Each structure stands twice: as structure tokens, then as C-alpha cells.
Amino acid sequence: LALAAAVAVIDALNTLGYLAPGLGIRWPNDVELDGRKLAGILPERVEADGRRWLLIGIGINVASDLAEAPASVRSMATSVSALAGPPVAAETPARLLAAILERLAPVIGQLAVRDGALAARWQALDLLRDERVCIDLGDQVVAGRGCGIDGDGALCLDGGGNIVRLFGGRVLR
């Protein structure tokens, strides 16, 4: 779900003219530009009133001015204003939200029917492909060369001849 939502965010940014060749998905739930985080996505299942709900939290650095941030933050974060050149127009957050919502329902529909075109999109946007990757699984760290995100949303790592499929974890920088 996070990968599908990331596709919607990237497509919305592109539609609004925020085009950048280094814009993509950093598995499992971030949108990055040139190695710096632009957005984070957090899906969560909630039970309320005897029903199950799925919430998708999407946080996007829209107008953040990182010039005054510590160097460590500037090196790992970016914003829409950095893409567009500050200042961001007052209507940009509302336009971006509308564009994301417009794209979210179709990608969730694609996800529900396991449409291979959606998996192909997150494959194409995978920023970890062919990169040396270390994933913290909590009790161990797995390392290898990123070799794609499969149709189930698993990050595939080549650990030296054997492919490991990961469904969760934290990418170490």
C-alpha cells in the first residue's frame, strides 16, 4: 500500500510540473529526490466500531526551508519548494493534496486487482535498484545489492548469489 501511495504522490508531483529525474521510491515507504527524503508514507490498519479501516498517512515536505536546518538534516531531506524554487505558492499544498487524492483511488484499485502495471511503476521508480543496501530487521542486518521490488512489494536483495525477499525493515543510510 505504501508503494502504491508513493506512485500516486510522484504522479501528482509530476502532473503539477515538479519533474525531476532523481525522484523515486525508497522502499518501503519514502519518496526521495536525489537521495534526500521528500515524503514519507505510513499505512495503518485500524479497527473501530466493529469495522476495519485502512488509514494512509502521507507527510510531504512542501514549503520547508531547510537552509537553517543542521547540515545532517539538509543532507537527508528536501522539499517541494526546493524542486520549484522558493517560495511555494499559497495554493500549492491544496493543489498537491487534490492531485494526490485524484490519483490515490486508481492506484489502490490497481493494487486490489494485482495489476502488473502498478508493480511495473514501482519497479521503474525504485531508487535502491543496483545499489548496495543494508536493511535493519531489528534482530539482524541484511545486506546486498538491490535487484528490484517484486509484484508483492518485497525488496529483493542479491546477497551474493541468493536472492532475499524482504517485506519490512529500515533502510540504513
Side-chain angles (χ1 to χ4, degrees):
L1 188 58
L3 296 170
V7 168
V9 168
I10 292 168
D11 288 349
L13 287 164
N14 288 335
T15 297
L16 295 178
Y18 302 112
L19 306 170
L23 186 62
I25 297 170
R26 183 172 61 96
W27 179 94
N29 60 342
D30 290 334
V31 174
E32 284 191 348
L33 173 62
D34 296 328
R36 296 184 299 157
K37 186 171 181 172
L38 178 67
I41 300 162
L42 183 62
E44 185 175 347
R45 192 176 97 186
V46 177
E47 294 191 30
D49 300 326
R51 296 180 66 189
R52 292 183 182 153
W53 299 87
L54 193 55
L55 303 177
I56 305 171
I58 301 174
I60 303 174
N61 296 328
V62 176
S64 303
D65 180 4
L66 299 170
E68 301 299 318
S72 60
V73 173
R74 286 193 316 269
S75 71
M76 62 187 301
T78 191
S79 67
V80 173
S81 67
L83 276 171
V88 170
E91 67 275 3
T92 298
R95 289 183 62 225
L96 183 54
L97 176 60
I100 292 168
L101 291 174
E102 183 179 305
R103 283 148 189 82
L104 199 53
V107 297
I108 290 174
Q110 286 181 287
L111 185 64
V113 298
R114 299 181 60 86
D115 184 341
L118 178 60
R121 285 281 291 137
W122 66 55
Q123 267 285 3
L125 293 166
D126 176 17
L127 296 174
L128 299 179
R129 177 180 287 283
D130 297 325
E131 297 292 326
R132 175 92 175 132
V133 181
C134 294
I135 307 294
D136 183 351
L137 300 175
D139 59 344
Q140 66 175 321
V141 174
V142 177
R145 182 185 53 81
C147 52
I149 303 169
D150 70 16
D152 293 325
L155 177 66
C156 299
L157 292 183
D158 184 343
N162 61 319
I163 303 297
V164 178
R165 296 174 71 227
L166 301 171
F167 289 93
R170 185 173 60 93
V171 178
L172 301 175
R173 292 188 178 266

